[in-house]
Amino acid sequence: MGKQLERDLGLPSVTAISIGAMVGSGIFILPGLAMEMAGPAVVFAYALAGVLVLPAALSKSEMATAMPEAGGTYLYIERAMGPLFGTIAGVGTWFSLTFKGALALVGGAPYLVLLFDLPVTPVALAVAGVLIVLNVVGAKQTGRMQIAIVAVMLAVMVWFIVVGAPSVDRARFGGFFGSGFEGILSATGFVFVSYAGVTKIASVAEEVENPDRNLPLGILGSLVITAGIYVAIVTVMVGVADASALTNTETPMQVAASNALPAIGVAAVVVAALLALISTANAGILSSSRYPFAMSRDGLAPDLFEDVSDRFETPVNAITITGGVLLVLIAFVPIADIAKLASAFKILVFVLINVALIAFRQGSIEAYEPSFESPLYPVPQLVGIGGGIVLLRYIGFVPLVGAVVIIVGSMAWYYLFVSRRGGVPREGAMTDALRRSVGRDVVEQTESEVETAGHEVLVAVTERTPPDVERALIDLAADLARTREGGVRVAQFDEVPDQTPLPQSAATLTEADQAFEARMADRATDSEIPIRYGEVVSHDTRHAIVNYADHVDADTLLIERSAGRDTLLGSDTQWIEDHAPCDVVEVSNLDHDAVERIGVITDEGPFDPAKVALADALATATGSTVTFYLPIGEDQPESRRNTTADYLTELVALCAAPVETRLVESGTDAAVERAATDSDVLVVSGIQRDLTDRLLGRGSDPVTAGTEHGTLVVYGASQPGRIRRVVERRLF
């Protein structure tokens, strides 16, 4: 049994970690830069960013109570959207949080210079090293330290707000919206990263005691507290200091404090800034290290990230490697680039978080049972998705390029090192929801096909059609028409040379024509189904058949399956299938009286509605049993099996004939072999070219056993497009 992490983080630690992860660079470094974009409306930008973060906070609170495990954002997106998106989210969020930690340490350097005459980068690297060691020692010590830091930091901030508020000059807010819509949105996107830590605690959810209560309270409570602090502090900053002073300094909080507080207050603000920036970096290491840890447990990252220290019971490798990345960022990457990259990808991740919740709600994951549910679903999620997309429009080109690089790199990692090695036997809730949606759509189409009334069936024959084949075609046409309250029309198509005038040929009745009319007259007299018949003379049989089907408004066209150019329509059959205005069914070797078992083989996706309707009609008329064969493959997720079973149950309910279903786990070839062996008649789709060639002995591995009584190849008039077929084959 492997080691497990102890649940020892209570509500104070949860709230402190979230606040400490937010209140740092977002208020001590970014206001001056954001003010260059939005002017005094930077206050509104901070408030708007908090509002747009709220949907993701609600979504993540719900998912955290359903899955209180290490991994946070990665875990939820992976479970919702599958391993590929989980890899992207895990790698991207890992880097994003690490960027934010580096931003906090590098951004804190100017405040250090105010107190000590020390080199900036070495000190930042030293502080980072200490924090890495603290995280290796244990999460409890980290949580306790975070509470102390946040307590001191909040006390100083409240002091700044209370003492500085009376000094606010309203005149400094003149032209509040002078920067315009674009300036405000640019600033909102830029400061968005200030709220990134609001959901960071979910990444250590596995170490939170009573997660059903403490996770949502900690996440939402910290957001409300932090948003209020941000808006109040930025309001005071703008109101007590000149705009030029705030935008031309690397320590805007210290500049504002100098105008509102006594010297001891300024010193306290500087100390609080240092504590806040350290707490942000600390929380970044704490939570970001959990992403490779969780990915390793799910088979998406090397096993070394999963190792838990025997002494400290912490994921030591994940923490130290994350710390190494942090040190590299501090040493080599400019602070502005770090901030922009972190903000851009955080927006993308929060959009995916909202999509993930919708996927969980729409899917059928039985284990998803949150104790907290997002109110007003799905309105907040849709607002969060739309708002995030709008902000990305204004975040800038370079950050988006960086995010794309991370996404492409994550995809490359997944396909090269995960998928090629067998992947993981798991799929996301979104895949399941999409499968159910596609299944419902196909079931509705099938229901419409089965219950259609007034169905007109056209049987196309030629002078060369043998009487037994003609009889089998008409029998099948009568079965289809009977179940749908329709009629049968039989047409014999005679082709004459181009030199022969058509009126002359139409006026001449050959012996074959007379024999055809005699047979049809007898059949029409004996049939309970209306049968009309006639002959069509043309210079081009294939065009004549298609034109006649269109003229009589046929719903289904029945023709004999051609085995070569010399048989019946020869190579023209494929042209007819491609151009006919209705469903086309090619019939091969059908003995109507000997049918007892009808096998329907999937088209590597849900069953074609026309194929289901044909099989049901034939089975109803002959008293046969229909069996649906669906290859599912081995080691499929339980969600796929459940959804597939539900789809088949709905499909069975639509049929009037007795129906059985077979899930074949050995793949498509095994399903074909089994269906061919167990069935008298096989019903397949025309788009299954390889399969029909095998069934009719054209391929190198013909399947003929058990199908001596016939094969029906169905070409639906309304076949799904190429993309839709790819999606269906992927899902079923």
Side-chain angles (χ1 to χ4, degrees), residues 320-602:
T320 53
I321 293 176
T322 298
V325 175
L326 181 72
L327 296 176
V328 171
L329 292 175
I330 292 174
F332 300 107
V333 181
I335 184 173
D337 292 339
I338 295 174
K340 291 179 180 179
L341 286 167
S343 193
F345 204 85
K346 186 55 63 177
I347 294 172
L348 288 171
V349 168
F350 276 17
V351 168
L352 292 178
I353 280 292
N354 289 307
V355 174
L357 180 67
I358 295 174
F360 277 121
R361 289 286 192 99
Q362 297 301 120
S364 63
I365 306 300
E366 296 180 359
Y368 185 75
E369 297 179 354
S371 57
F372 169 83
E373 293 188 355
S374 172
L376 302 178
Y377 169 86
V379 175
Q381 286 66 40
L382 295 177
V383 170
I385 294 170
I389 293 174
V390 171
L391 290 184
L392 287 174
R393 160 68 175 79
Y394 296 94
I395 196 65
F397 178 74
V398 173
L400 287 180
V401 171
V404 169
V405 169
I406 292 177
I407 291 173
V408 173
S410 301
M411 294 177 65
W413 167 266
Y414 179 80
Y415 284 114
L416 293 176
F417 298 98
V418 179
S419 181
R420 282 192 173 185
R421 298 181 181 182
V424 292
R426 189 171 54 253
E427 64 182 10
M430 177 174 288
T431 301
D432 184 70
L434 182 59
R435 180 182 297 112
R436 286 188 175 275
S437 176
V438 170
R440 285 192 297 268
D441 185 40
V442 174
V443 167
E444 291 175 359
Q445 296 176 24
T446 304
E447 182 178 15
S448 175
E449 188 81 22
V450 171
E451 296 180 356
T452 298
H455 199 83
E456 188 73 16
V457 184
L458 172 62
V459 177
V461 297
T462 69
E463 291 182 345
R464 301 192 306 276
T465 303
D468 59 329
V469 172
E470 179 184 86
R471 182 169 56 254
L473 292 173
I474 297 174
D475 288 341
L476 181 58
D479 295 340
L480 276 173
R482 184 181 298 108
T483 57
R484 304 184 187 183
E485 301 177 0
V488 175
R489 188 184 297 267
V490 184
Q492 178 173 284
F493 292 85
D494 299 333
E495 183 173 318
V496 297
D498 293 341
Q499 297 82 359
T500 304
L502 292 181
Q504 177 181 340
S505 298
T508 303
L509 289 179
T510 65
E511 292 184 4
D513 296 335
Q514 295 174 4
F516 168 76
E517 293 191 359
R519 292 194 305 273
M520 291 303 101
D522 292 340
R523 185 62 189 261
T525 301
D526 297 337
S527 176
E528 299 176 356
I529 303 299
I531 296 180
R532 288 170 287 183
Y533 56 91
E535 299 167 73
V536 178
V537 181
S538 70
H539 295 307
D540 187 340
T541 299
R542 65 179 187 177
H543 280 87
I545 292 176
V546 170
N547 292 337
Y548 188 73
D550 185 51
H551 174 70
V552 301
D553 197 21
D555 297 293
T556 301
L557 169 64
L558 301 184
I559 60 178
E560 182 186 6
R561 175 72 181 184
S562 301
R565 291 181 176 273
D566 297 331
T567 306
L568 304 178
L569 300 175
S571 60
D572 290 339
T573 54
Q574 184 171 336
W575 188 93
I576 294 173
E577 295 149 5
D578 294 337
H579 294 83
C582 58
D583 295 340
V584 178
V585 180
E586 292 188 30
V587 182
S588 174
N589 199 29
L590 176 64
D591 186 347
H592 191 271
D593 296 332
V595 178
E596 295 182 358
R597 297 165 299 172
I598 303 173
V600 184
I601 305 176
T602 183

Side-chain angles (χ1 to χ4, degrees), residues 147-429:
I147 293 176
I149 292 176
V150 171
V152 173
M153 180 177 59
L154 291 180
V156 174
M157 288 181 172
V158 171
W159 183 16
F160 173 78
I161 294 170
V162 172
V163 177
S167 302
V168 170
D169 183 0
R170 295 183 179 180
R172 298 184 188 278
F173 293 91
F176 190 79
F177 292 109
S179 61
F181 184 75
E182 183 172 349
I184 293 175
L185 288 181
S186 297
T188 301
F190 182 74
V191 302
F192 194 89
V193 71
S194 304
Y195 294 95
V198 68
T199 61
K200 193 176 295 184
I201 187 61
S203 63
V204 290
E206 201 168 357
E207 300 162 58
V208 175
E209 63 181 5
N210 193 12
D212 293 351
R213 171 182 176 273
N214 291 339
L215 280 173
L217 284 179
I219 291 174
L220 298 179
S222 62
L223 175 60
V224 172
I225 293 171
T226 304
I229 291 174
Y230 278 167
V231 172
I233 288 181
V234 174
T235 300
V236 173
M237 291 175 66
V238 173
V240 301
D242 291 336
S244 59
L246 292 175
T247 57
N248 293 321
T249 180
E250 295 178 334
T251 58
M253 189 73 174
Q254 182 267 339
V255 171
S258 298
N259 292 345
L261 301 179
I264 189 172
V266 176
V269 166
V270 173
V271 172
L274 294 176
L275 290 176
L277 296 170
I278 291 173
S279 71
T280 299
N282 177 64
I285 297 173
L286 173 65
S287 56
S288 61
S289 63
R290 294 326 191 248
Y291 286 88
F293 174 73
M295 292 174 66
S296 177
R297 294 195 309 185
D298 287 341
L300 300 179
D303 295 339
L304 64 92
F305 288 108
E306 190 179 357
D307 293 341
V308 175
S309 169
D310 292 330
R311 179 179 179 184
F312 302 113
E313 297 186 350
T314 56
V316 60
N317 290 334
I319 292 174
T320 53
I321 293 176
T322 298
V325 175
L326 181 72
L327 296 176
V328 171
L329 292 175
I330 292 174
F332 300 107
V333 181
I335 184 173
D337 292 339
I338 295 174
K340 291 179 180 179
L341 286 167
S343 193
F345 204 85
K346 186 55 63 177
I347 294 172
L348 288 171
V349 168
F350 276 17
V351 168
L352 292 178
I353 280 292
N354 289 307
V355 174
L357 180 67
I358 295 174
F360 277 121
R361 289 286 192 99
Q362 297 301 120
S364 63
I365 306 300
E366 296 180 359
Y368 185 75
E369 297 179 354
S371 57
F372 169 83
E373 293 188 355
S374 172
L376 302 178
Y377 169 86
V379 175
Q381 286 66 40
L382 295 177
V383 170
I385 294 170
I389 293 174
V390 171
L391 290 184
L392 287 174
R393 160 68 175 79
Y394 296 94
I395 196 65
F397 178 74
V398 173
L400 287 180
V401 171
V404 169
V405 169
I406 292 177
I407 291 173
V408 173
S410 301
M411 294 177 65
W413 167 266
Y414 179 80
Y415 284 114
L416 293 176
F417 298 98
V418 179
S419 181
R420 282 192 173 185
R421 298 181 181 182
V424 292
R426 189 171 54 253
E427 64 182 10

